Amino acid sequence: MTQMTLRHFIFCNPSFANYCLRQRQVAVPIHISEDMTDRVSKNAVSFTLALASILFCLFSLGLGWSLGIDPLVRFSTDQNAMVPATALCLALVGFATMPLVSHTSGWLLQRLALVLAIGFLGSLVLLRLFGLDLPLEDLVIFESNPNDGVSDATILGLLLLSIAPAIRLNLLPLHADWRLHVPLFGAIGSCAVTVGIFVDALTLDQIPPFTNMSHYTAALLMCLFFAQLLMSDPTAADLEADIDRDDAKFGKG
């Protein structure tokens, strides 16, 4: 196992990192600190949150909308549904949020997913600005209730959710500190909205930006913002930069 591969493996496998810390020796020379173990553990939780969010969105699309299983679409029969467009965008941005081992093929797929999500959200914004009526919110192939839709707050939340992975994937030239600031703001806001919608969904639905927002959407946005927060440790950028340098070194070799 090369040093580059080992670094990647340790970065995404906290149990192995803990083992190395106990043994204080590995097959190749590499320094493993307690700080690295903490970061790896956070990445494992972040990966789990993102994966759970993606799976729920896929179940909502594949079983909820396709087979008419209503509990996968809306929290209760008299509440707003998470429409197909929202489920698709959450799944795409969730995938872009996941900490992956591969910094080549994995990042390429994550960039593609993020570009698709942002492009789709941009299309929804343009449709609303120009007052066009196209079934994009239903992904054309599904048919939702006329009272269901993508709220303005959902679009804003998804765009904010796209910023941190866009910076990490080198699609957005902003300082790495924004990988902490934006998810922190999003986590606080989505927590407040999630509590509000579960306490009094009817009142929140009467506030224009939140009209049509579903319980599932608010909860999934909150989960993904927290997943990004766990990856936003400023010192983690040093490890990622180290891995990138190893990629370049071994790639040239």
Side-chain angles (χ1 to χ4, degrees):
M1 182 181 289
T2 66
Q3 182 173 350
M4 176 187 67
T5 304
L6 183 60
R7 285 180 182 273
H8 285 163
F9 184 78
I10 289 173
F11 190 61
C12 290
N13 291 271
S15 59
F16 182 71
N18 283 321
Y19 170 79
C20 292
L21 281 169
R22 290 195 304 270
Q23 299 298 319
R24 293 295 177 184
Q25 58 181 2
V26 289
V28 295
I30 180 173
H31 174 66
I32 304 174
S33 65
E34 296 285 352
D35 181 60
M36 179 188 288
T37 307
D38 180 59
R39 278 182 259 134
V40 169
S41 298
K42 289 180 178 179
N43 270 8
V45 177
S46 176
F47 182 91
T48 302
L49 285 172
L51 180 61
S53 300
I54 294 169
L55 290 176
F56 186 87
C57 291
L58 294 179
F59 283 138
S60 178
L61 284 172
L63 299 177
W65 286 103
S66 297
L67 302 180
I69 302 177
D70 214 41
L72 290 174
V73 169
R74 65 184 81 241
F75 184 69
S76 62
T77 55
D78 59 339
Q79 301 294 344
N80 296 323
M82 180 173 69
V83 296
T86 300
L88 175 65
C89 289
L90 281 169
L92 290 172
V93 180
F95 176 69
T97 294
M98 296 175 76
L100 298 182
V101 174
S102 174
H103 279 212
T104 52
S105 59
W107 276 29
L108 179 62
L109 291 174
Q110 286 186 311
R111 288 187 181 109
L112 178 61
L114 194 59
V115 169
L116 288 174
I118 294 173
F120 192 84
L121 290 169
S123 300
L124 288 178
V125 172
L126 289 175
L127 287 177
R128 293 193 177 186
L129 287 176
F130 291 99
L132 299 177
D133 186 19
L134 293 177
L136 279 187
E137 295 183 3
D138 295 333
L139 301 182
V140 181
I141 60 175
F142 301 105
E143 185 176 352
S144 65
N145 189 302
N147 294 324
D148 293 325
V150 182
S151 69
D152 294 338
T154 296
I155 294 176
L156 177 60
L158 284 166
L159 289 174
L160 288 175
L161 195 66
S162 302
I163 292 177
I167 297 172
R168 182 174 64 87
L169 297 170
N170 300 320
L171 293 175
L172 192 61
L174 292 178
H175 194 275
D177 286 347
W178 287 101
R179 287 178 56 183
L180 170 63
H181 301 326
V182 175
L184 180 60
F185 173 79
I188 294 172
S190 58
C191 275
V193 173
T194 301
V195 171
I197 202 169
F198 275 93
V199 170
D200 191 353
L202 182 60
T203 299
L204 189 68
D205 193 59
Q206 294 174 351
I207 302 174
F210 301 99
T211 301
N212 294 329
M213 176 169 272
S214 75
H215 294 69
Y216 294 151
T217 300
L220 290 171
L221 283 171
M222 181 180 66
C223 287
L224 289 174
F225 275 124
F226 274 108
Q228 293 179 0
L229 266 180
L230 290 170
M231 297 174 60
S232 66
D233 184 353
T235 56
D238 298 332
L239 179 60
E240 291 182 5
D242 191 30
I243 291 175
D244 288 338
R245 283 193 295 271
D246 282 348
D247 285 344
K249 177 182 175 181
F250 283 86
K252 291 178 181 178

